[in-house]
């Protein structure tokens, strides 16, 4: 068999170079730095440092604040992912039923997507402000003694609510296009085969949306882990007492505010490993079930 | 095993399209009715109204004497085979067929038996564990049929089920559908725009034009005794020859040719003479003359196409003649033709009404 031989040339390398450069400069280099830093213990002034093997990791994992933060991150991610998917799916199903007038509706929901997380956080902050916040007032009038500054549950409620609100729009768009790609005939055949619309949803529509749902789940978990940083930084800043401190936010506060570079690096390496494991798990075990 | 009646059925879509305009029909037990007509005439709309996929704007439908206008599709006990099969892509063939039975609460062992029996009948028992994506077009078609048959419904509805298959498979499936329908004896409606398919399948066919039934009857009835110009031109392959004509001085004037043997036709109305290709034959002293454009040899017989002489100033009119095997005529040749006057038809051009 004859092999096609392309003439060797520098041109392809020239074209991929910027991409590779970006990956190296903004991802590989910092990651390597983090791993290196995580083995070092710096003195309080950052002048000298000492190689300490896994001490930073031990300190991190045995630290109550870190465990609290890990616990919160997991609960937070599960809730944000679940609610932003569930609400978006509900809206998309409703919108899909009355599709004719839905393009303006679609655009309106899309707006939230254009809002950057810190802006969403600032808006949320305003709404929950004890002096001028409408939602703050409304919740208190409804009899909920609401105060996100003092109550851990209330603070979690605020960051979850804003995070979900911010993410529903993008999920909605994906779900809607997923719903629209289900052939009309398939839904009609199901109408003849099954009387109950709820049952049709769970046996036909939902399984056919599984690839979309899986994709969105990965996106949403990543979002909850990392991108909600901006929301937390502009609302609770981890308060009260670290109750809303996600792992990513804690890396930032310990490293930049607490100047504990070694500990903070160890935390981010652990975070990287967690995300890696999660991703592998998702692709190995869930993706296999969602394709048809 | 059921009867279906439609009375005064109308469909207006939300956008104002009046797709079905007052259809009356009685379909008796075990019949195979074909709705045939050009694209956009409302065949699918009418079928989907029977299935319950479209609401009925006006009129009434009954199955076995019971009004079904307000009955939900699943409760009408009808099964439909769609043009693109509409199989559930995430379910195996077995699940596809079992789905309707499960939702009707049939016992698991009965479902298993029923699905296997049906799969055997359709020769798809080897594919029961496959997903639709792993099947060929013909196999998917069979599964779609199986999904309908396995439910033993009161009515089968087919919406152009063969149009995605290649020509050979289409003929095969057509024969099979006819055979299955006979065996099972289930009242069926079959929609197609293909008149050959319609003629070969139907016990009775309904020719639909712009939301109205032009004529309903057995294939031979529609072929030999069409009531309108539309039906005459739609049924038959190759198409019936249509020549503009006038009735003057007691004779039918077709171009330059005056033809005897017609009387009592209205004067001063544009008419249309219709002759089927098989009712014309080359003849030494025939009334018409054509110049041959093309001869198609079909083996058993041949088709001669040519332009009719004598339409001065008008565009020449194309004529098709079905001649015996191996016609020796060559393009450019002029030949004379005779037609069986007793089988010619005359229509009004304006209303399409048949006069003779
Ligand atoms: N969902 C719909 N909304 C509006 N008009 C429709 C719809 N479906 C079909 N029509 C119109 O109704 C007429 C009949 O359509 P259809 O029954 O699909 O024709 P056929 O199956 O004979 O090709 C067409 O003019 C078509 O444009
Ligand atoms: Mg159609």
């Amino acid at each position: 068999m004859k092999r096609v031989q392309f003439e060797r040339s520098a041109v392809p390398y020239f074209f991929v170079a910027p991409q590779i450069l970006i990956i190296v400069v903004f991802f590989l280099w910092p990651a390597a730095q983090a791993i290196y830093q995580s083995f070092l213990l710096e003195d309080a002034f950052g002048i000298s440092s000492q190689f300490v093997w896994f001490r930073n990791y031990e300190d991190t994992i045995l630290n109550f604040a870190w465990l609290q933060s890990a616990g919160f991150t997991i609960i937070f991610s599960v809730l944000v992912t679940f609610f932003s998917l569930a609400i978006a799916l509900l809206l998309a199903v409703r919108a899909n039923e009355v599709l004719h007038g839905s393009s303006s509706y679609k655009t309106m929901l899309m707006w939230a997507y254009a809002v950057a997380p810190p802006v969403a956080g600032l808006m949320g902050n305003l709404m929950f402000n004890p002096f001028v916040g409408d939602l703050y007032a409304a919740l208190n009038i409804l009899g909920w003694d609401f105060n996100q500054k003092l109550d851990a549950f209330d603070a979690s409620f605020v960051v979850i609510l804003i995070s979900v609100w911010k993410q529903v729009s993008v999920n909605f768009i994906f779900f809607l296009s997923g719903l629209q790609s289900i052939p009309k005939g398939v839904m009609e055949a199901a109408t003849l085969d099954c009387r109950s619309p709820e049952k049709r949803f769970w046996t036909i529509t939902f399984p056919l949306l599984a690839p979309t749902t899986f994709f969105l789940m990965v996106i949403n978990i990543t979002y909850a882990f990392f991108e909600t940083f901006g929301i937390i930084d502009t609302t609770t800043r981890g308060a009260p007492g670290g109750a809303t401190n996600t792992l990513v936010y804690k890396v930032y506060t310990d490293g930049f505010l607490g100047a504990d570079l070694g500990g903070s690096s160890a935390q981010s390496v652990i975070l990287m490993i967690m995300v890696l494991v999660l991703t592998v798990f998702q692709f190995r075990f869930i993706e296999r079930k969602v394709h048809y | 095993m059921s009867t279906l009646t439609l009375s005064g059925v109308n469909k207006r879509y939300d956008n104002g399209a009046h797709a079905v305009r007052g259809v009356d029909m009685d379909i008796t037990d075990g019949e195979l009715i074909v709705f045939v007509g050009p694209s956009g005439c409302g065949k699918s709309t009418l079928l989907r109204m029977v299935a319950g996929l479209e609401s009925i704007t006006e009129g009434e439908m009954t199955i076995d004497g019971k009004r079904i206008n307000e009955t939900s599709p699943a409760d009408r006990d009808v099964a439909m085979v769609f043009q693109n099969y509409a199989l559930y892509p995430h379910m195996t063939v077995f699940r596809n067929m079992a789905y309707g039975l499960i939702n009707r609460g049939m016992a698991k062992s009965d479902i298993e038996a029923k699905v296997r029996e049906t799969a055997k009948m359709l020769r798809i028992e080897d594919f029961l564990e496959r997903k639709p994506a792993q099947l060929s077009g013909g196999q998917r078609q069979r599964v779609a049929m199986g999904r309908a048959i396995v439910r033993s419904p009161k009515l089968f509805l087919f919406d152009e089920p063969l149009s995605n298959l290649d020509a050979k498979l289409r003929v095969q499936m057509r024969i099979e559908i006819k055979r299955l329908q006979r065996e099972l004896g289930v009242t069926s409606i079959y929609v197609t725009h293909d008149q050959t398919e319609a003629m070969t399948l139907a016990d009775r066919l309904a020719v639909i034009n712009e939301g109205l039934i032009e004529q309903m009857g057995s294939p031979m009835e529609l072929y030999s005794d069409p009531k309108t110009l539309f039906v005459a031109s739609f049924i038959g392959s190759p198409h019936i020859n249509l020549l503009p004509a006038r009735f003057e001085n007691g004779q039918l004037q077709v171009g330059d040719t005056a033809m005897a043997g017609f009387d009592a036709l209205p004067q001063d109305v544009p008419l249309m003479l219709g002759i089927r290709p098989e009712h014309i034959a080359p003849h030494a002293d025939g009334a018409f003359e054509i110049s041959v454009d093309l001869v198609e040899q079909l083996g058993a017989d041949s088709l001669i196409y040519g332009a009719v002489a004598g339409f001065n100033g008008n565009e020449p009119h194309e004529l098709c003649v079905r001649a015996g095997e191996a016609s020796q005529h060559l393009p450019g040749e002029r030949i004379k033709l005779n037609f069986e006057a007793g089988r010619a038809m005359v229509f009004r051009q304006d209303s399409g009404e048949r006069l003779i």
Side-chain angles (χ1 to χ4, degrees), chain A residues 100 183-186 188-195 199-200 203-204 207-208 291-292, chain B residues 48 51 53 73-75 78 80 82 86-91 99-100 103-104 147 151:
Chain A
H100 326 289
K184 199 165 148 256
V186 170
E188 289 177 346
T191 320
L192 295 177
D193 272 347
C194 177
R195 178 186 310 138
K199 198 163 179 195
R200 283 204 298 272
T203 51
I204 307 285
L208 289 178
H291 278 278
Y292 44 81
Chain B
R48 292 164 56 80
L53 299 173
D75 293 331
V78 301
M80 186 154 167
F82 295 81
L87 298 175
Y88 309 124
H90 58 301
M91 294 185 191
Y99 184 66
N103 291 320
R104 282 176 172 73
R147 188 172 62 180
R151 276 189 24 212

Side-chain angles (χ1 to χ4, degrees), chain B residues 86-162:
Chain B
L87 298 175
Y88 309 124
H90 58 301
M91 294 185 191
T92 60
V93 169
F94 184 94
R95 288 276 302 170
N96 261 282
M97 290 169 72
Y99 184 66
L101 302 177
I102 294 170
N103 291 320
R104 282 176 172 73
M106 191 186 258
K108 217 167 173 189
S109 55
D110 294 346
I111 293 177
E112 175 91 22
K114 198 100 209 297
V115 170
R116 297 218 174 267
E117 182 199 3
T118 311
K120 195 154 182 213
M121 182 158 60
L122 287 160
R123 281 173 278 121
I124 48 174
E125 67 263 50
D126 294 341
F127 311 129
L128 284 176
E129 294 314 314
R130 291 208 200 158
K131 300 258 176 87
Q134 301 162 312
L135 299 176
S136 72
Q139 290 163 345
R140 280 180 216 174
Q141 169 62 46
R142 284 167 185 281
V143 176
M145 296 270 303
R147 188 172 62 180
I149 290 173
V150 77
R151 276 189 24 212
S152 312
K154 288 182 176 164
L155 286 180
F156 283 145
L157 308 174
F158 299 89
D159 194 353
E160 314 224 8
L162 304 183

Side-chain angles (χ1 to χ4, degrees), chain B residues 116-229:
Chain B
R116 297 218 174 267
E117 182 199 3
T118 311
K120 195 154 182 213
M121 182 158 60
L122 287 160
R123 281 173 278 121
I124 48 174
E125 67 263 50
D126 294 341
F127 311 129
L128 284 176
E129 294 314 314
R130 291 208 200 158
K131 300 258 176 87
Q134 301 162 312
L135 299 176
S136 72
Q139 290 163 345
R140 280 180 216 174
Q141 169 62 46
R142 284 167 185 281
V143 176
M145 296 270 303
R147 188 172 62 180
I149 290 173
V150 77
R151 276 189 24 212
S152 312
K154 288 182 176 164
L155 286 180
F156 283 145
L157 308 174
F158 299 89
D159 194 353
E160 314 224 8
L162 304 183
S163 49
N164 287 352
L165 300 179
D166 63 62
K168 191 170 161 221
L169 213 49
R170 201 149 58 213
V171 174
Q172 247 174 34
M173 281 308 290
R174 193 166 82 199
I175 295 166
E176 190 145 353
I177 288 178
K178 179 95 177 167
R179 181 179 64 79
L180 284 169
Q181 198 269 340
R182 277 282 135 73
E183 268 174 35
L184 302 166
V186 177
T187 315
S188 308
I189 305 178
Y190 188 106
V191 162
T192 179
H193 65 269
D194 178 344
Q195 69 92 27
T196 316
E197 209 166 283
M199 295 285 281
T200 49
L201 275 173
D203 290 326
R204 281 193 300 154
L205 47 85
V207 179
I208 302 181
N209 182 25
E210 295 186 348
L212 278 171
I213 297 201
E214 286 266 333
Q215 193 177 349
M216 196 162 171
S218 72
M220 275 325 286
E221 228 173 285
L222 295 200
Y223 174 80
S224 53
D225 192 17
K227 295 277 183 268
T228 66
L229 184 55

Side-chain angles (χ1 to χ4, degrees), chain B residues 38-45 48 83 159-160 191 193:
Chain B
S39 176
C41 70
K43 319 177 283 291
S44 296
T45 303
R48 292 164 56 80
Q83 178 169 355
D159 194 353
E160 314 224 8
V191 162
H193 65 269

Side-chain angles (χ1 to χ4, degrees), chain B residues 292-309:
Chain B
V292 176
D293 290 330
L294 175 74
V295 180
E296 277 181 1
Q297 301 289 0
L298 301 179
D301 47 18
S302 54
L303 299 175
I304 306 170
Y305 294 91
V308 184

